[in-house]
Amino acid sequence: MSTSENSVSRKVKVWDLPTRLFHWLLVIGVFAMWLTADVLDRLGLHMAIGLALLGLIVFRLVWGFIGSDTARFAQFVRHPKHTLAYLRGVNRGVWLGHNPLGALSVLALIFSVMVQLVTGLFANDQIFNEGPLSDYVSESTQDLMSLIHGINFNVLLGLIALHLLAIAFHQFKKHEPLVQAMITGKRALQPDETVQNQNLRFAGWFAFVIAALIGVGVWYLMSYHASMVAGWLGLH
């Protein structure tokens, strides 16, 4: 596709439906986790939501390998030299999906959420509630995981704040409709904008079903067969 063709004002597909659903469900889930733990003090519900988010994150990890191009880690996780070039303004066209700098933010958020969910599996509030795998590790391990769980949540809040600031900068300062694109899946290209990553491929329903089944399977095992998972992990 030539530059002149790229410059025609049009709407292009950026995000598939599974990626958009993941994004908004994660937003709702993280907010619900904070609400049930810090405001409502409903730790039983807090853990149930956490297990659902664990399945959601596993789905996203699988989707990052077999999903659409804009969701694949191999497509948006780039060499540091590309990130530096982006910061210097070299070849700064439109990146359909995550730009090189935004990719770092996404990875940091996913990693922090994963840390929060995994440590929650072993956490223990020493009163009524404990993670599904806490009985299979020592008390000192439970205490360590509970400590990391508390500290990491503040880290996660900081990453979310930075992410929101970056979105606001692109949305209002650079006039890039990121929020609209994550809702509709499409982005409007202005006549003077060129695309850096062209010819995107979008995964079909078969790949989605595989990723969804794996995510649901992890949620089911951790919710109802934690002892089996503990055995697989060699915990005792």
PDB file of all heavy atoms in Angstrom, residues 93-111:
ATOM      1  N   GLY A  93       4.657   7.747  12.495  1.00  0.00           N
ATOM      2  CA  GLY A  93       3.358   7.688  11.862  1.00  0.00           C
ATOM      3  C   GLY A  93       2.363   7.118  12.854  1.00  0.00           C
ATOM      4  O   GLY A  93       2.609   7.049  14.050  1.00  0.00           O
ATOM      5  N   VAL A  94       1.225   6.703  12.349  1.00  0.00           N
ATOM      6  CA  VAL A  94       0.207   6.110  13.199  1.00  0.00           C
ATOM      7  C   VAL A  94       0.517   4.634  13.406  1.00  0.00           C
ATOM      8  O   VAL A  94       0.737   3.887  12.455  1.00  0.00           O
ATOM      9  CB  VAL A  94      -1.186   6.262  12.548  1.00  0.00           C
ATOM     10  CG1 VAL A  94      -2.227   5.500  13.350  1.00  0.00           C
ATOM     11  CG2 VAL A  94      -1.556   7.734  12.446  1.00  0.00           C
ATOM     12  N   TRP A  95       0.550   4.222  14.672  1.00  0.00           N
ATOM     13  CA  TRP A  95       0.684   2.810  15.004  1.00  0.00           C
ATOM     14  C   TRP A  95      -0.712   2.265  15.296  1.00  0.00           C
ATOM     15  O   TRP A  95      -1.363   2.699  16.241  1.00  0.00           O
ATOM     16  CB  TRP A  95       1.589   2.617  16.224  1.00  0.00           C
ATOM     17  CG  TRP A  95       3.026   2.887  15.944  1.00  0.00           C
ATOM     18  CD1 TRP A  95       3.668   4.076  16.043  1.00  0.00           C
ATOM     19  CD2 TRP A  95       4.001   1.948  15.523  1.00  0.00           C
ATOM     20  NE1 TRP A  95       4.988   3.942  15.705  1.00  0.00           N
ATOM     21  CE2 TRP A  95       5.221   2.641  15.378  1.00  0.00           C
ATOM     22  CE3 TRP A  95       3.976   0.571  15.243  1.00  0.00           C
ATOM     23  CZ2 TRP A  95       6.398   2.007  14.972  1.00  0.00           C
ATOM     24  CZ3 TRP A  95       5.141  -0.050  14.841  1.00  0.00           C
ATOM     25  CH2 TRP A  95       6.334   0.664  14.709  1.00  0.00           C
ATOM     26  N   LEU A  96      -1.169   1.345  14.475  1.00  0.00           N
ATOM     27  CA  LEU A  96      -2.462   0.718  14.714  1.00  0.00           C
ATOM     28  C   LEU A  96      -2.291  -0.277  15.849  1.00  0.00           C
ATOM     29  O   LEU A  96      -1.638  -1.303  15.703  1.00  0.00           O
ATOM     30  CB  LEU A  96      -2.961   0.014  13.447  1.00  0.00           C
ATOM     31  CG  LEU A  96      -3.218   0.938  12.251  1.00  0.00           C
ATOM     32  CD1 LEU A  96      -3.719   0.138  11.068  1.00  0.00           C
ATOM     33  CD2 LEU A  96      -4.208   2.047  12.609  1.00  0.00           C
ATOM     34  N   GLY A  97      -2.895   0.042  16.984  1.00  0.00           N
ATOM     35  CA  GLY A  97      -2.683  -0.756  18.180  1.00  0.00           C
ATOM     36  C   GLY A  97      -1.823   0.016  19.151  1.00  0.00           C
ATOM     37  O   GLY A  97      -1.956   1.239  19.285  1.00  0.00           O
ATOM     38  N   HIS A  98      -0.908  -0.668  19.811  1.00  0.00           N
ATOM     39  CA  HIS A  98      -0.032  -0.028  20.788  1.00  0.00           C
ATOM     40  C   HIS A  98       1.215   0.513  20.100  1.00  0.00           C
ATOM     41  O   HIS A  98       1.885  -0.210  19.363  1.00  0.00           O
ATOM     42  CB  HIS A  98       0.394  -1.026  21.870  1.00  0.00           C
ATOM     43  CG  HIS A  98      -0.745  -1.626  22.622  1.00  0.00           C
ATOM     44  ND1 HIS A  98      -1.627  -0.872  23.373  1.00  0.00           N
ATOM     45  CD2 HIS A  98      -1.157  -2.913  22.747  1.00  0.00           C
ATOM     46  CE1 HIS A  98      -2.527  -1.664  23.920  1.00  0.00           C
ATOM     47  NE2 HIS A  98      -2.270  -2.902  23.561  1.00  0.00           N
ATOM     48  N   ASN A  99       1.529   1.797  20.351  1.00  0.00           N
ATOM     49  CA  ASN A  99       2.801   2.312  19.861  1.00  0.00           C
ATOM     50  C   ASN A  99       3.921   1.755  20.738  1.00  0.00           C
ATOM     51  O   ASN A  99       3.663   1.152  21.783  1.00  0.00           O
ATOM     52  CB  ASN A  99       2.785   3.858  19.842  1.00  0.00           C
ATOM     53  CG  ASN A  99       2.596   4.441  21.234  1.00  0.00           C
ATOM     54  OD1 ASN A  99       3.277   4.072  22.185  1.00  0.00           O
ATOM     55  ND2 ASN A  99       1.642   5.370  21.362  1.00  0.00           N
ATOM     56  N   PRO A 100       5.190   1.905  20.325  1.00  0.00           N
ATOM     57  CA  PRO A 100       6.291   1.294  21.089  1.00  0.00           C
ATOM     58  C   PRO A 100       6.331   1.688  22.558  1.00  0.00           C
ATOM     59  O   PRO A 100       6.688   0.875  23.410  1.00  0.00           O
ATOM     60  CB  PRO A 100       7.535   1.789  20.343  1.00  0.00           C
ATOM     61  CG  PRO A 100       7.055   2.008  18.947  1.00  0.00           C
ATOM     62  CD  PRO A 100       5.660   2.541  19.085  1.00  0.00           C
ATOM     63  N   LEU A 101       5.960   2.926  22.878  1.00  0.00           N
ATOM     64  CA  LEU A 101       5.974   3.359  24.276  1.00  0.00           C
ATOM     65  C   LEU A 101       4.751   2.826  25.010  1.00  0.00           C
ATOM     66  O   LEU A 101       4.844   2.385  26.162  1.00  0.00           O
ATOM     67  CB  LEU A 101       6.009   4.889  24.346  1.00  0.00           C
ATOM     68  CG  LEU A 101       6.305   5.498  25.724  1.00  0.00           C
ATOM     69  CD1 LEU A 101       7.661   5.029  26.237  1.00  0.00           C
ATOM     70  CD2 LEU A 101       6.267   7.017  25.641  1.00  0.00           C
ATOM     71  N   GLY A 102       3.603   2.833  24.352  1.00  0.00           N
ATOM     72  CA  GLY A 102       2.399   2.308  24.967  1.00  0.00           C
ATOM     73  C   GLY A 102       2.507   0.824  25.267  1.00  0.00           C
ATOM     74  O   GLY A 102       1.905   0.323  26.229  1.00  0.00           O
ATOM     75  N   ALA A 103       3.279   0.114  24.456  1.00  0.00           N
ATOM     76  CA  ALA A 103       3.471  -1.318  24.677  1.00  0.00           C
ATOM     77  C   ALA A 103       4.119  -1.580  26.033  1.00  0.00           C
ATOM     78  O   ALA A 103       3.762  -2.545  26.720  1.00  0.00           O
ATOM     79  CB  ALA A 103       4.334  -1.910  23.564  1.00  0.00           C
ATOM     80  N   LEU A 104       5.057  -0.732  26.423  1.00  0.00           N
ATOM     81  CA  LEU A 104       5.714  -0.892  27.724  1.00  0.00           C
ATOM     82  C   LEU A 104       4.706  -0.716  28.857  1.00  0.00           C
ATOM     83  O   LEU A 104       4.750  -1.440  29.859  1.00  0.00           O
ATOM     84  CB  LEU A 104       6.852   0.120  27.867  1.00  0.00           C
ATOM     85  CG  LEU A 104       7.999  -0.011  26.862  1.00  0.00           C
ATOM     86  CD1 LEU A 104       9.039   1.072  27.116  1.00  0.00           C
ATOM     87  CD2 LEU A 104       8.641  -1.390  26.947  1.00  0.00           C
ATOM     88  N   SER A 105       3.795   0.241  28.693  1.00  0.00           N
ATOM     89  CA  SER A 105       2.764   0.478  29.709  1.00  0.00           C
ATOM     90  C   SER A 105       1.848  -0.731  29.832  1.00  0.00           C
ATOM     91  O   SER A 105       1.500  -1.148  30.944  1.00  0.00           O
ATOM     92  CB  SER A 105       1.955   1.725  29.345  1.00  0.00           C
ATOM     93  OG  SER A 105       0.862   1.900  30.226  1.00  0.00           O
ATOM     94  N   VAL A 106       1.463  -1.301  28.703  1.00  0.00           N
ATOM     95  CA  VAL A 106       0.576  -2.469  28.705  1.00  0.00           C
ATOM     96  C   VAL A 106       1.245  -3.652  29.393  1.00  0.00           C
ATOM     97  O   VAL A 106       0.641  -4.346  30.215  1.00  0.00           O
ATOM     98  CB  VAL A 106       0.159  -2.827  27.273  1.00  0.00           C
ATOM     99  CG1 VAL A 106      -0.558  -4.178  27.235  1.00  0.00           C
ATOM    100  CG2 VAL A 106      -0.726  -1.735  26.685  1.00  0.00           C
ATOM    101  N   LEU A 107       2.515  -3.885  29.059  1.00  0.00           N
ATOM    102  CA  LEU A 107       3.244  -5.000  29.672  1.00  0.00           C
ATOM    103  C   LEU A 107       3.367  -4.813  31.182  1.00  0.00           C
ATOM    104  O   LEU A 107       3.207  -5.767  31.949  1.00  0.00           O
ATOM    105  CB  LEU A 107       4.631  -5.124  29.045  1.00  0.00           C
ATOM    106  CG  LEU A 107       4.683  -5.614  27.597  1.00  0.00           C
ATOM    107  CD1 LEU A 107       6.118  -5.621  27.096  1.00  0.00           C
ATOM    108  CD2 LEU A 107       4.077  -6.996  27.464  1.00  0.00           C
ATOM    109  N   ALA A 108       3.655  -3.584  31.607  1.00  0.00           N
ATOM    110  CA  ALA A 108       3.790  -3.316  33.040  1.00  0.00           C
ATOM    111  C   ALA A 108       2.470  -3.547  33.759  1.00  0.00           C
ATOM    112  O   ALA A 108       2.434  -4.135  34.852  1.00  0.00           O
ATOM    113  CB  ALA A 108       4.268  -1.877  33.263  1.00  0.00           C
ATOM    114  N   LEU A 109       1.366  -3.129  33.147  1.00  0.00           N
ATOM    115  CA  LEU A 109       0.054  -3.323  33.766  1.00  0.00           C
ATOM    116  C   LEU A 109      -0.308  -4.802  33.862  1.00  0.00           C
ATOM    117  O   LEU A 109      -0.772  -5.279  34.905  1.00  0.00           O
ATOM    118  CB  LEU A 109      -1.012  -2.577  32.960  1.00  0.00           C
ATOM    119  CG  LEU A 109      -1.122  -1.070  33.213  1.00  0.00           C
ATOM    120  CD1 LEU A 109      -2.010  -0.425  32.163  1.00  0.00           C
ATOM    121  CD2 LEU A 109      -1.667  -0.801  34.609  1.00  0.00           C
ATOM    122  N   ILE A 110      -0.093  -5.536  32.777  1.00  0.00           N
ATOM    123  CA  ILE A 110      -0.415  -6.967  32.787  1.00  0.00           C
ATOM    124  C   ILE A 110       0.433  -7.691  33.826  1.00  0.00           C
ATOM    125  O   ILE A 110      -0.070  -8.539  34.581  1.00  0.00           O
ATOM    126  CB  ILE A 110      -0.203  -7.581  31.391  1.00  0.00           C
ATOM    127  CG1 ILE A 110      -1.279  -7.070  30.422  1.00  0.00           C
ATOM    128  CG2 ILE A 110      -0.248  -9.109  31.448  1.00  0.00           C
ATOM    129  CD1 ILE A 110      -1.127  -7.581  29.005  1.00  0.00           C
ATOM    130  N   PHE A 111       1.716  -7.347  33.892  1.00  0.00           N
ATOM    131  CA  PHE A 111       2.594  -7.990  34.862  1.00  0.00           C
ATOM    132  C   PHE A 111       2.158  -7.686  36.287  1.00  0.00           C
ATOM    133  O   PHE A 111       2.106  -8.583  37.150  1.00  0.00           O
ATOM    134  CB  PHE A 111       4.037  -7.540  34.653  1.00  0.00           C
ATOM    135  CG  PHE A 111       5.006  -8.140  35.639  1.00  0.00           C
ATOM    136  CD1 PHE A 111       5.417  -9.454  35.517  1.00  0.00           C
ATOM    137  CD2 PHE A 111       5.485  -7.386  36.708  1.00  0.00           C
ATOM    138  CE1 PHE A 111       6.295 -10.024  36.438  1.00  0.00           C
ATOM    139  CE2 PHE A 111       6.367  -7.940  37.628  1.00  0.00           C
ATOM    140  CZ  PHE A 111       6.769  -9.264  37.483  1.00  0.00           C
TER     141      PHE A 111
END
